[in-house]
Amino acid sequence: MKLYYSKTSPYTRKVLLVARHLGLMDEIELVSVNPLEPDEGFLRANPLSKVPALVVDGEPALFDSRVIVEFLMDRAGMNDTGRAKNEMLKRQALADGMTDAALAIVMEKRRPVVEQSPYWIARWRAAIDRSLAHLEEGAINALEHWRLDAMATAAALDYLCFRLPELEWADQYPVTAEWYRDVIAQPDMKDTDPRA
């Protein structure tokens, strides 16, 4: 398998965390790409020019982190079904939505100041705040095991700390912050740290 990735992508990080947890990293060749300057091989894998994208011999390429982690879990025989799976996917969706909002802010702030939209930045920040509040109000307690939903949440929270430190969310959401501090110390998180 060949994974097109960017080290700083939180979506890639989620895929790498899942692959490491499932013991599949030896089967994956990592190919670093810049989605803003894509090559033809990457664009064949994902015409949207977004990371991550997974190429599996004899199969159509897979893109979007949610699709890729489902494939990896199936491959490892670890894909459950039923209500517990749906709840886990819902928590993954919350983490991915928080990441979407954070990434949108990061990209908006790369535009010239006069072109930035305070309205949209405020909307995305509000989405992040609501997501953090949802975690704080109890959803974080469901992340007691190192599974897909926990990995997605850990990647999302660390992306906030990495790219939007000015949000300073930890004081307002202490239970979530304590969970994050415990998780960030895990070897998988250290080994996939985009700052390293």
Side-chain angles (χ1 to χ4, degrees):
M1 295 183 285
K2 180 185 293 186
L3 182 71
Y4 289 99
Y5 82 109
S6 168
K7 186 176 182 179
T8 58
S9 163
Y11 308 105
T12 294
R13 191 175 194 189
K14 177 179 68 173
V15 168
L16 292 174
L17 289 169
V18 169
R20 291 173 68 85
H21 180 68
L22 297 174
L24 296 174
M25 285 304 295
D26 289 344
E27 300 179 36
I28 298 174
E29 173 192 353
L30 297 175
V31 180
S32 180
V33 294
N34 179 350
L36 300 177
E37 298 174 5
D39 63 36
E40 286 303 313
F42 173 53
L43 290 177
R44 279 193 299 277
N46 186 354
L48 298 172
S49 190
K50 292 183 177 182
V51 290
L54 184 69
V55 176
V56 182
D57 290 340
E59 300 282 340
L62 302 171
F63 48 89
D64 190 283
S65 63
R66 285 175 275 208
V67 174
I68 295 170
V69 296
E70 286 290 316
F71 170 82
L72 294 176
M73 289 191 300
D74 282 343
R75 188 176 182 104
M78 300 288 288
N79 215 347
D80 297 329
T81 58
R83 182 173 174 80
K85 169 75 179 285
N86 290 337
E87 290 299 311
M88 182 174 69
L89 291 177
K90 184 172 77 173
R91 288 186 293 269
Q92 176 191 208
L94 179 74
D96 285 353
M98 189 166 34
T99 301
D100 293 344
L103 182 62
I105 293 172
V106 169
M107 297 309 289
E108 184 71 9
K109 288 188 169 193
R110 290 184 180 171
R111 298 173 54 172
V113 173
V114 295
E115 295 178 15
Q116 292 177 20
S117 171
Y119 170 79
W120 282 107
I121 290 172
R123 282 186 58 94
W124 294 320
R125 282 194 67 160
I128 292 168
D129 284 335
R130 288 191 303 271
S131 299
L132 289 166
H134 184 74
L135 289 170
E136 189 74 9
E137 290 161 5
I140 200 73
N141 297 327
L143 304 177
E144 59 187 348
H145 302 293
W146 192 234
R147 299 180 311 191
L148 170 60
D149 49 357
M151 295 176 206
T153 303
L157 294 175
D158 198 46
Y159 188 73
L160 292 180
C161 293
F162 175 44
R163 292 295 195 196
L164 298 172
E166 67 273 14
L167 296 184
E168 298 181 339
W169 58 270
D171 288 341
Q172 189 174 352
Y173 306 103
V175 175
T176 302
E178 181 179 356
W179 180 89
Y180 166 74
R181 282 191 295 272
D182 290 342
V183 170
I184 201 68
Q186 292 192 23
D188 286 349
M189 289 297 288
K190 289 182 177 180
D191 291 344
T192 58
D193 189 341
R195 304 162 188 85

